[in-house]
Amino acid sequence: MRTCDPSQCPICKGTAKRFRKGNFDAYVVICDRCGDFGITDTALVNIRGEYFSEREIANASGWLRENQGYEITSYNADGLKNINPISYSERADRLLRKIGKVTSFAGEEVKIDSSWISSAWCAHEKEMRSLLNFLSESDLVVVNGPLPEYQTVVVRPNGWMRIDDLSKVGSAGDQGFVAMWFDQSMSEAYAVAISKAIADAGYRPHRVDNREHNGKIDDEIVSEIRKSRFVVADFSGHRGGVYYEAGFAKCLGIEVFWTCREDYFKELHFDIRQYNCIEWKMNELDEFRQRLRFRIESVLGQGPVKK
Ligand SMILES: [Zn+2]
């Protein structure tokens, strides 16, 4: 492991920085393309020997971008290699949303940025530019400038309307948003049970990152919850953010599935116990996975994502 280049991202092989994560046997990686994520020592060794195709790297890197702060362990590294691919039009939508996000006023020309490659789950700059052409031919953006390095892009009115549509409630019909405590003790439950249950039921798990809320809910979280088909809210640790996110989803009429680890179950707020909360145990994660999967399928049916 010591010979492994610390300035190289273990996923995309691009430029990255790596730091020891406190006293844990893990690193924090900050990569230009994948953003920031954690990786345990064992996962680092396993991944190094593993072959990721160009498309698998694009998917893993795009997925990590959307799930900042995710910790790659030897339990979930396999899942990262087998992320469900997204379609061409979904990549184009992500690119358009990214351009919208970095535009500060309608009509502003923004410089085309190579960091958009992972925002749009692209394999390389060439693919990102092909998506830009597609957006331009669909009358959603205008690309200006003669040479690639001087090029800028402007979102057109149709593009803004498309961005609005994409942020409507339930617009990402295959997404299951996960609201939970970001604690080391929860990583395995997320990797082995929660994210797998959502994928087994035919949906795409989505967890934003591990920022603390400080009483203020993040715009990105709000927009991701709005788009989601449902929310899985896990109350272990009784984090304020989880109560807030579940309440927000409920308020929008989005289905919420309630779960809690046994040692926190007793202190669960009475209102939530009413909701038939799944109580789970650390040593029975397989059972938790099954129960959550059946709960999702019995309320919403099988989702559209094929495994
Ligand atoms: Zn990377």
Side-chain angles (χ1 to χ4, degrees):
M1 185 174 9
R2 290 209 168 77
T3 54
C4 186
D5 184 358
S7 65
Q8 194 185 53
C9 171
I11 303 301
C12 72
K13 311 295 175 208
T15 314
K17 291 192 187 86
R18 196 196 290 169
F19 309 98
R20 261 286 165 213
K21 194 175 181 181
N23 297 323
F24 298 111
D25 296 333
Y27 289 100
V28 174
V29 178
I30 299 172
C31 168
D32 295 345
R33 179 170 167 189
C34 311
D36 100 67
F37 60 91
I39 186 163
T40 61
D41 292 354
T42 38
L44 192 63
V45 174
N46 293 344
I47 277 185
R48 203 154 52 100
E50 198 161 356
Y51 174 68
F52 275 59
S53 72
E54 199 169 35
R55 178 48 62 200
E56 283 165 354
I57 291 175
N59 293 343
S61 173
W63 188 88
L64 285 171
R65 251 293 156 214
E66 292 177 12
N67 291 272
Q68 291 289 278
Y70 187 75
E71 181 161 283
I72 305 167
T73 66
S74 40
Y75 295 104
N76 61 25
D78 230 28
L80 205 61
K81 188 176 154 67
N82 296 304
I83 285 173
N84 295 308
I86 61 172
S87 66
Y88 184 86
S89 64
E90 285 174 304
R91 284 202 282 276
D93 283 341
R94 276 171 167 78
L95 181 57
L96 180 63
R97 271 214 304 267
K98 179 67 189 179
I99 301 168
K101 225 175 192 173
V102 297
T103 301
S104 33
F105 56 88
E108 186 191 14
E109 281 189 47
V110 291
K111 206 163 175 300
I112 293 166
D113 191 314
S114 58
S115 74
W116 300 351
I117 293 174
S118 59
S119 309
W121 294 42
C122 292
H124 35 57
E125 175 122 7
K126 196 171 168 199
E127 184 180 22
M128 196 252 289
R129 289 195 176 267
S130 127
L131 291 176
L132 271 175
N133 282 340
F134 170 76
L135 293 175
S136 156
E137 278 165 26
S138 312
D139 212 21
L140 301 172
V141 302
V142 181
V143 178
N144 300 313
L147 291 166
E149 57 268 34
Y150 297 123
Q151 275 182 343
T152 59
V153 60
V154 182
V155 178
R156 289 189 41 78
N158 280 340
W160 289 116
M161 281 160 72
R162 175 78 191 143
I163 291 169
D164 285 349
D165 282 345
L166 290 171
S167 56
K168 289 210 172 105
V169 174
S171 58
D174 64 350
Q175 178 167 293
F177 184 94
V178 181
M180 67 185 287
W181 184 24
F182 286 90
D183 185 76
Q184 180 83 3
S185 70
M186 296 295 293
S187 314
E188 192 184 342
Y190 178 74
V192 176
I194 300 176
S195 65
K196 290 263 169 66
I198 294 173
D200 290 345
Y203 298 89
R204 194 188 301 282
H206 185 96
R207 194 167 72 147
V208 172
D209 69 9
N210 56 2
R211 273 170 288 176
E212 282 295 332
H213 285 296
N214 301 326
K216 185 175 166 286
I217 196 160
D218 194 275
D219 285 346
E220 192 185 344
I221 292 175
V222 167
S223 98
E224 290 303 333
I225 293 175
R226 289 178 70 91
K227 285 188 309 192
S228 296
R229 180 77 175 84
F230 61 89
V231 168
V232 172
D234 186 274
F235 292 93
S236 314
H238 299 294
R239 312 310 289 172
V242 175
Y243 280 88
Y244 192 106
E245 287 160 27
F248 178 68
K250 211 61 197 134
C251 201
L252 291 174
I254 294 170
E255 197 66 49
V256 181
F257 298 97
W258 318 80
T259 67
C260 187
R261 198 167 74 196
E262 55 169 349
D263 47 330
Y264 286 100
F265 197 79
K266 276 198 200 72
E267 305 150 54
L268 204 57
H269 199 280
F270 180 73
D271 291 350
I272 285 158
R273 274 196 261 175
Q274 308 278 66
Y275 286 119
N276 197 8
C277 184
I278 298 175
E279 182 182 0
W280 57 272
K281 298 186 172 104
M282 247 344 259
N283 56 356
E284 289 172 9
L285 289 179
D286 245 16
E287 193 201 319
F288 176 30
R289 173 178 171 179
Q290 295 292 345
R291 289 175 68 201
L292 181 56
R293 176 203 178 152
F294 291 141
R295 187 72 60 87
I296 296 168
E297 285 178 344
S298 65
V299 175
L300 301 172
Q302 256 281 325
V305 179
K306 300 271 178 298
K307 290 227 291 173

